[in-house]
Amino acid sequence: MAAPQVSAAQAIGEYLQSPDDLLKISAFRKKLEKEKASIDSRLKSGVKEQLDATREGLTKLLGTRNNVQVIKEEMQTVDRMCSDPQNVVSTFDQISRVSMVHRNFEQTEEMVNNLLEINSKLDVLEELLEAESRTIIGPAPNLLPIHFHINRLEAFRNQTMHQAKKASANSRYKLARMFERLNKLIEDFEAYIMELARNVLPLVRAGYPQVVVKLIKIAELEAREDEKAIAIRLVKKAAKMDAASKFKSMQANARIIKHYRSKATKAISDSIKANFDDAYTRHQHDPGAFLGGLSWIYQDLIRIESDVVPCFPPSYEIHAFYIKEYHRTLNATLQRIIESEPDASIMLDLHAWIKEYKKSMKELNVAPELLDPPLLGGEEQNLIEDYLKLIVKKLDEWSANLMKTEIQEFTTRSDPPEVDSDGLYGTQGAVILFQMVNQQIDAATESGQGAILARVVGEVNRVMRSTQDQWTKVVEAELKKQTEKPEEVVGGLAEYCIALANDQIKSADNTEALLGRLEPLVSEKYRTPINEKLNDAIDGNLDVAKKCIQTFIDIILNDLKPATKQLFQPTWYDGVMEQIVLTMRDYMADQSYINPSLLELLVEYLLDAFLVTYLTALANCPKLRIPAATERIKEDISTVFSFFSGFKPTKELEPYFEVVDLILAMLEASKSMVFLSFWAFAKVHGPCIPFVEGLMKVRGDFDRSAVSEVMDSIKRKVKDEGLTDPTEPTIMKKITVQSTLSRFLRT
């Protein structure tokens, strides 16, 4: 980025910033002139140096051009003399013919001797090669000699077969048969060389780095021979046969290109892939063990850098090659794990392992560009999403199957509920569900990531809420069948409701324990959502438990309908409360199978339901025979109080029945004293004018005028005192008072 230009005015402004600076103008001028002189001097010196360097370069360039021209002229002279030697040597034709005959004799003699000796040489080489091949991890002392002699025999074969191109087919066939053993030996030697290449690292580990050096020397030699052969073929392909005819090797070379270098590097790649395949196969059914045992990768890379790299020429860049191959093969193996659809916990293990792999490779000073492509396409974060998707899938599948079984058992009720180790009704569903939850929570906890744990807890909450909603609907549906078509319903619903309520309390306790275990493991950022989700699940468990208890009460009340319909009716005076209490006692006989906290809730719900039913019947009853009615009420309450005292202490029960005492007082009070009884009632429960008016109207000892007089007095007092309902609703809010028309129609 270029520096911003400064104008002359701005430059002067920097020096003249106050009126006093005008006195320094001469000093500033001298300073600037001195700086200008210094800059001019440096510029002149730099320009002179550049001119001198340019002049010298041009001089050398001209000299080089002259030298090239001289060499070109000399080469043309040599070419003319070589192309037409007859002009120089008078007997050149004779010399040329004699030389050709002599050369042919020598070549023929050499070829015959080689053909006679080839089998004996092959015997020795085959024996040596077999001995070396038996011990791949060894010193290989004869490796270079074997290669040297095989190479000479191969060159002889190539030259012989090239010269035999113009021979008869039968001759060529016989020659090919003679060289079959040599061809087999060459193939075996190449196989041995490639096996050594596949065992470079084991050779170094075993203390035989010199074998690797020999291997690379052979590969380099063969590579140079390959290059020569390729160059010759390119010349021939260009149809420059005149140039080719000047070189004996061009006429005789029929070399097979070996590509030892590329084959050796491929063998190394294959060995790396084989190592990964072996490790994967050993732990094919346990990917976690496979990931846990991959520390050998780092050990290999350290050994390669220290011991293998010195055995290779720099041009091989063998360290980078090994790192790339290990990384590429590792990536392919991890892809295989993903494609095998492993358990959700493996996704977390894989995510953590890749994170550790990056850290380890950085500690080994591995260049990032060598780790390309990134493992799993650089999208290892998707493993978390895949893990969560798998969690969702598994939890949904497991919970669906579990709920299918549990709901079937709940609705068919073919057997009584199971009794757990605590002697309480229960089912296996709650235990199995929490085993599933704990399994997934534990896996998420091991990841060490609060975000993962929070999301898994969210999914667990979703599943638990879903099962809770299903239970609520099932309980409602079963109760509806029980009340509408009792003859078609299988018995035992009350017991199963108790079992389900016990399960919900057990699940709430387990969830609370889980919350206590998880809170210390995460930061405040994730502690809050985890707390909210698990507390929400606990609330859901408690809601279902309450629903079950309420359903249990509804079942009791449904069975009590024939008896409760008689309350405050003519038959009531003969006593029906014993029948009601007996029915409640029968249902409460299974109290030992109920969780103690639920039993307390059940007693409160039942007591409340009884009082609401009793007072509602009183509020909507026909004329009461006073004082027979009040005496019967006292007897009823005494019987019920005695029943409930078996579940609650007397002191705790008395407040529940206080409302009945207050109502009894209004029924027993004289016309002039009713107001005082009402006032005591109203201070606790509010005016409740419709209920009180209905109560006064059903008193058999009050006529219409008495009722009107009492109610006028009550209403006037309520208005004057501004009496309102209490802040906290009491049981009287649950009492439904029918209208006069409804009561008339009912009678």
Side-chain angles (χ1 to χ4, degrees):
M1 181 177 175
Q5 294 184 354
V6 180
S7 67
Q10 290 174 328
I12 293 171
E14 292 180 0
Y15 288 102
L16 303 178
Q17 296 182 357
S18 67
D20 293 340
D21 291 337
L22 295 174
L23 301 175
K24 303 176 184 179
I25 289 178
S26 59
F28 289 151
R29 182 183 295 113
K30 289 179 181 180
K31 180 181 177 182
L32 294 174
E33 287 175 350
K34 186 176 180 180
E35 291 178 355
K36 179 177 181 299
S38 175
I39 293 170
D40 290 343
S41 174
R42 289 199 297 272
L43 286 174
K44 287 178 182 179
S45 175
V47 170
K48 184 177 181 300
E49 289 176 0
Q50 292 298 321
L51 288 174
D52 291 343
T54 303
R55 188 180 298 109
E56 183 180 355
L58 290 172
T59 302
K60 289 180 179 180
L61 186 60
L62 291 172
T64 301
R65 187 173 66 177
N66 293 334
N67 291 337
V68 169
Q69 184 61 32
V70 171
I71 292 171
K72 181 178 179 182
E73 291 173 356
E74 293 293 334
M75 292 294 292
Q76 288 174 348
T77 302
V78 171
D79 184 62
R80 281 197 304 273
M81 294 178 69
C82 291
S83 62
D84 195 10
Q86 291 93 334
N87 297 331
V88 180
V89 182
S90 58
T91 59
F92 178 79
D93 289 341
Q94 295 176 1
I95 294 171
S96 178
R97 286 195 295 272
V98 170
S99 176
M100 184 178 297
V101 170
H102 180 70
R103 186 167 63 250
N104 289 340
F105 271 121
E106 284 183 343
Q107 290 178 353
T108 302
E109 183 181 13
E110 181 184 359
M111 183 176 295
V112 170
N113 290 334
N114 285 335
L115 288 173
L116 292 174
E117 297 171 359
I118 189 170
N119 285 326
S120 61
K121 292 180 180 178
L122 289 174
D123 290 339
V124 175
L125 292 173
E126 286 172 347
E127 184 177 351
L128 290 174
L129 180 59
E130 184 180 357
E132 297 288 354
S133 300
R134 281 197 295 267
T135 309
I136 295 298
I137 309 301
N142 298 311
L143 177 58
L144 291 180
I146 292 172
H147 175 258
F148 174 76
H149 290 290
I150 289 178
N151 212 23
R152 292 187 64 180
L153 290 175
E154 185 180 8
F156 167 66
R157 180 201 66 183
N158 292 343
Q159 184 176 356
T160 302
M161 295 304 294
H162 182 76
Q163 290 177 345
K165 283 183 177 179
K166 296 181 181 179
S168 64
N170 187 46
S171 298
R172 292 198 303 274
Y173 174 74
K174 288 181 178 180
L175 280 174
R177 290 291 302 273
M178 291 185 69
F179 289 125
E180 282 181 354
R181 279 186 67 192
L182 176 60
N183 295 339
K184 178 67 168 56
L185 179 63
I186 293 171
E187 291 175 1
D188 292 344
F189 180 74
E190 181 173 324
Y192 172 62
I193 287 290
M194 294 306 113
E195 189 63 26
L196 290 177
R198 280 188 284 272
N199 287 275
V200 166
L201 194 54
L203 282 167
V204 171
R205 281 203 183 100
Y208 301 115
Q210 70 275 13
V211 178
V212 180
V213 174
K214 294 175 185 178
L215 167 66
I216 299 306
K217 283 184 176 180
I218 292 172
E220 288 293 288
L221 175 63
E222 295 292 347
R224 287 194 293 271
E225 293 299 322
D226 286 347
E227 290 173 1
K228 290 179 184 178
I230 292 171
I232 291 170
R233 292 178 184 181
L234 289 175
V235 171
K236 289 182 177 180
K237 187 175 181 181
K240 296 181 179 179
M241 297 308 297
D242 290 340
S245 66
K246 296 176 183 178
F247 302 98
K248 168 186 170 182
S249 61
M250 279 194 176
Q251 297 174 354
N253 199 300
R255 175 181 173 84
I256 298 173
I257 306 301
K258 296 185 178 180
H259 304 293
Y260 268 16
R261 176 167 173 169
S262 61
K263 288 180 180 178
T265 53
K266 185 179 184 303
I268 293 173
S269 298
D270 292 342
S271 69
I272 294 171
K273 185 176 184 299
N275 289 339
F276 275 93
D277 287 343
D278 290 343
Y280 181 78
T281 302
R282 283 197 305 272
H283 304 289
Q284 187 169 1
H285 302 295
D286 188 2
F290 168 75
L291 293 173
L294 285 179
S295 58
W296 55 267
I297 294 177
Y298 313 120
Q299 298 169 4
D300 284 2
L301 293 178
I302 292 171
R303 179 58 70 93
I304 288 164
E305 184 177 17
S306 61
D307 296 342
V308 175
V309 171
C311 300
F312 284 76
S315 61
Y316 276 70
E317 297 182 343
I318 198 64
H319 188 230
F321 173 78
Y322 264 105
I323 291 174
K324 288 180 180 179
E325 289 303 312
Y326 268 78
H327 181 77
R328 190 177 296 115
T329 310
L330 171 63
N331 185 44
T333 309
L334 296 184
Q335 290 286 4
R336 289 175 66 184
I337 293 177
I338 296 298
E339 291 168 3
S340 67
E341 298 184 355
D343 292 338
S345 59
I346 299 302
M347 295 294 190
L348 289 182
D349 292 344
L350 189 53
H351 181 270
W353 191 91
I354 291 175
K355 189 176 180 180
E356 185 63 29
Y357 171 79
K358 291 180 178 179
K359 180 181 176 182
S360 299
M361 296 304 271
K362 188 175 182 180
E363 291 175 355
L364 292 175
N365 295 319
V366 174
E369 58 268 18
L370 298 180
L371 304 178
D372 188 62
L375 294 181
L376 302 181
E379 298 179 353
E380 63 270 16
Q381 191 59 34
N382 289 345
L383 290 172
I384 301 301
E385 298 302 324
D386 293 341
Y387 163 74
L388 292 170
K389 289 178 183 176
L390 195 55
I391 286 291
V392 172
K393 180 181 177 182
K394 292 295 184 183
L395 285 175
D396 286 345
E397 288 178 358
W398 293 338
S399 60
N401 293 333
L402 178 64
M403 286 301 293
K404 181 179 179 181
T405 304
E406 290 295 303
I407 290 174
Q408 183 177 7
E409 291 182 2
F410 189 90
T411 53
T412 56
R413 299 187 285 280
S414 56
D415 296 310
E418 299 178 9
V419 178
D420 62 17
S421 57
D422 297 325
L424 305 178
Y425 281 147
T427 66
Q428 289 297 315
V431 177
I432 296 172
L433 177 62
F434 225 81
Q435 286 176 346
M436 295 188 303
V437 168
N438 271 327
Q439 181 182 354
Q440 303 309 322
I441 293 292
D442 289 343
T445 303
E446 290 174 3
S447 72
Q449 296 191 42
I452 296 176
L453 181 58
R455 293 184 66 179
V456 171
V457 168
E459 292 301 327
V460 166
N461 167 267
R462 180 185 60 81
V463 170
M464 294 179 71
R465 270 301 194 177
S466 175
T467 59
Q468 291 160 4
D469 291 342
Q470 290 181 66
W471 276 126
T472 300
K473 293 176 182 177
V474 169
V475 170
E476 289 175 350
E478 289 300 302
L479 176 63
K480 186 177 181 182
K481 294 178 187 176
Q482 180 92 1
T483 54
E484 294 181 358
K485 299 179 180 179
E487 68 282 355
E488 298 178 5
V489 176
V490 181
L493 178 59
E495 289 81 359
Y496 268 83
C497 283
I498 294 301
L500 179 57
N502 287 340
D503 285 348
Q504 296 301 311
I505 295 299
K506 187 184 297 182
S507 295
D509 292 340
N510 290 335
T511 306
E512 189 172 7
L514 176 63
L515 177 59
R517 178 163 65 89
L518 296 183
E519 282 187 324
L521 302 179
V522 293
S523 64
E524 185 63 31
K525 177 181 179 181
Y526 300 110
R527 189 179 298 122
T528 301
I530 288 175
N531 191 294
E532 289 176 354
K533 292 296 183 182
L534 291 183
N535 276 318
D536 180 64
I538 292 173
D539 291 342
N541 290 133
L542 298 179
D543 289 342
V544 176
K546 290 177 181 178
K547 180 69 176 179
C548 292
I549 295 301
Q550 186 58 56
T551 301
F552 185 84
I553 302 300
D554 292 340
I555 294 171
I556 296 176
L557 294 179
N558 186 59
D559 280 1
L560 287 174
K561 276 185 179 179
T564 55
K565 284 182 179 179
Q566 298 180 45
L567 290 173
F568 305 106
Q569 302 300 317
T571 55
W572 168 68
Y573 293 93
D574 298 329
V576 296
M577 191 52 65
E578 290 293 341
Q579 180 185 351
I580 293 174
V581 169
L582 182 62
T583 302
M584 290 192 294
R585 182 173 284 113
D586 287 343
Y587 275 98
M588 296 298 286
D590 291 335
Q591 60 175 302
S592 60
Y593 298 107
I594 305 174
N595 186 292
S597 60
L598 285 177
L599 178 60
E600 185 177 349
L601 182 68
L602 172 60
V603 171
E604 289 182 4
Y605 277 21
L606 182 58
L607 181 53
D608 187 73
F610 167 78
L611 289 173
V612 169
T613 302
Y614 194 80
L615 295 180
T616 300
L618 176 60
N620 300 286
C621 68
K623 283 287 185 178
L624 295 174
R625 302 200 297 265
I626 304 297
T630 56
E631 293 301 321
R632 173 51 59 188
I633 291 174
K634 291 177 182 178
E635 292 177 10
D636 287 350
I637 297 305
S638 175
T639 303
V640 174
F641 191 93
S642 175
F643 166 70
F644 281 106
S645 63
F647 304 99
K648 268 183 174 295
T650 302
K651 288 186 177 181
E652 292 183 17
L653 277 177
E654 288 175 351
Y656 287 92
F657 290 94
E658 183 182 359
V659 64
V660 181
D661 294 337
L662 293 173
I663 293 172
L664 265 175
M666 287 191 287
L667 288 175
E668 292 179 326
S670 62
K671 184 176 71 171
S672 60
M673 301 300 291
V674 167
F675 174 77
L676 294 177
S677 300
F678 164 77
W679 193 251
F681 170 85
K683 285 193 295 184
V684 178
H685 301 283
C688 299
I689 296 299
F691 174 80
V692 174
E693 186 172 5
L695 196 65
M696 295 299 104
K697 288 181 178 179
V698 299
R699 283 187 60 164
D701 57 340
F702 279 8
D703 57 17
R704 184 174 297 179
S705 61
V707 171
S708 297
E709 184 180 341
V710 168
M711 290 309 301
D712 288 343
S713 174
I714 288 174
K715 290 177 182 178
R716 185 168 54 254
K717 187 63 175 177
V718 167
K719 183 178 180 181
D720 293 342
E721 297 292 335
L723 190 63
T724 58
D725 292 336
T727 306
E728 293 293 331
T730 67
I731 192 172
M732 294 306 299
K733 275 291 183 183
K734 301 177 183 178
I735 307 304
T736 303
V737 180
Q738 295 179 351
S739 64
T740 304
L741 178 60
S742 298
R743 200 178 305 180
F744 173 76
L745 293 175
R746 190 184 68 175
T747 57

